Amino acid sequence: MFNEIKIITTPDAPAPKGPYSQGVVHNGMVYVAGQLPLDPATGEVVPGSFQDQVKQALHNVEAVLRAGGSDLEHLVRVNVYLTDESQFPLLNEAYTQVIKAPYPPRTARAVALGPYQVEIDALGVVVAE
């Protein structure tokens, strides 16, 4: 059914830390919940630099996209939340190592994230089910 909502669950991305899904598929789109820089195996923040954390959050986004039948090449929207706007150049550097041109529309904003430095959510087009 075209109006059906499919809940995405994958061990390749961190388990939700609250009452939400990793993502959903609806009307040919994959909606990815905010992904933190957590190692899916341990649930802990990956060690390393801010850029390492950006890459991990993007890999978690990718895992949810793939579980929903999409991939990074079919992103149509990305939202990035970071705690320190001075890290914006580092965000761009890490982002372009994972996301390739042509780049999807993106918004990045500084917010309070508690113990985390970055969170990323996304929207992708289903290309395989």
Side-chain angles (χ1 to χ4, degrees), residues 4 27 36 63 68 78-79 90 95 123:
E4 181 179 340
N27 286 343
L36 297 165
V78 177
N79 292 306
L90 296 174
Y95 186 89
L123 177 62

Side-chain angles (χ1 to χ4, degrees), residues 52-87:
D52 293 330
Q53 292 191 17
V54 169
K55 290 177 195 176
Q56 183 62 52
L58 286 168
H59 292 310
N60 294 340
V61 165
E62 180 178 24
V64 178
L65 286 168
R66 288 194 185 286
S70 188
D71 54 38
L72 294 175
E73 291 75 35
H74 292 89
L75 284 170
V76 295
R77 183 83 176 127
V78 177
N79 292 306
V80 179
Y81 311 93
L82 60 160
T83 58
D84 181 353
E85 62 189 35
S86 73
Q87 293 180 312

Side-chain angles (χ1 to χ4, degrees), residues 25-43:
V25 177
H26 178 64
N27 286 343
M29 303 300 292
V30 180
Y31 298 83
V32 180
Q35 296 297 309
L36 297 165
L38 302 177
D39 178 328
T42 66

